Amino acid sequence: MELSGTTLELLRLVEELRLGREGCRLDPSGNPTPYSKALSSIKVRRTSGPVLVSVSSDHEILEIQGGVEEVEMLAATVKEFAAEGEYTSHLHVEYLPDHEFLSPNSEPLVVALVE
């Protein structure tokens, strides 16, 4: 799954992650190619332990849950990418053995920087 946005939009996402808000509306009107659908919102939920990235059963909501420290590590990773990445570049957020903050059950996420 891919989450794309401008630098400003990705920095807003960082703030949503840090605040742990229940929902952040997305604009699903864009062309999701090569994917079949655009998501309508992001839901951040504070739990404990590693970050779990998933999609709701109705395929409408990107769900991100995890402990405060682990979600902060995800936020810092996205912030660094948004601040230093080049347009059309992307960041892979996916579990590898001994990952610092992701759950092994987390779905792979590509964060893309657009103009």
Side-chain angles (χ1 to χ4, degrees), residues 3 20 27-28 36 38 46 49 51 54 58 62 64 73 93 99 103:
L3 177 65
D27 178 7
S36 60
R46 294 279 190 230
V51 172
S54 60
D58 63 2
L62 172 63
I64 300 171
M73 285 188 261
V93 180
H99 196 282
S103 163

Side-chain angles (χ1 to χ4, degrees), residues 1-7 9-14 16-17 24-28 32 34-35 37-44 53 55 60-64 74 78 81-82 89-93 107-114:
M1 118 183 70
E2 179 179 292
L3 177 65
S4 59
T6 63
T7 298
E9 290 167 335
L10 293 179
L11 291 176
R12 277 193 222 132
L13 170 63
V14 168
E16 294 295 326
L17 289 169
C24 173
R25 301 293 304 162
L26 300 174
D27 178 7
Y35 305 97
K37 185 174 188 173
L39 301 174
S40 62
S41 63
I42 298 173
K43 180 179 179 181
V44 179
V53 177
V55 176
E60 292 289 329
I61 302 169
L62 172 63
E63 298 176 327
I64 300 171
L74 173 60
V78 173
F81 170 72
S89 63
H90 59 278
L91 166 72
H92 289 266
V93 180
E107 293 187 34
L109 175 66
V110 175
V111 180
L113 189 58
V114 296

Side-chain angles (χ1 to χ4, degrees), residues 71-91:
V71 171
E72 175 55 34
M73 285 188 261
L74 173 60
T77 300
V78 173
K79 181 179 180 181
E80 181 179 345
F81 170 72
E84 297 178 11
E86 296 181 21
Y87 296 117
T88 71
S89 63
H90 59 278
L91 166 72

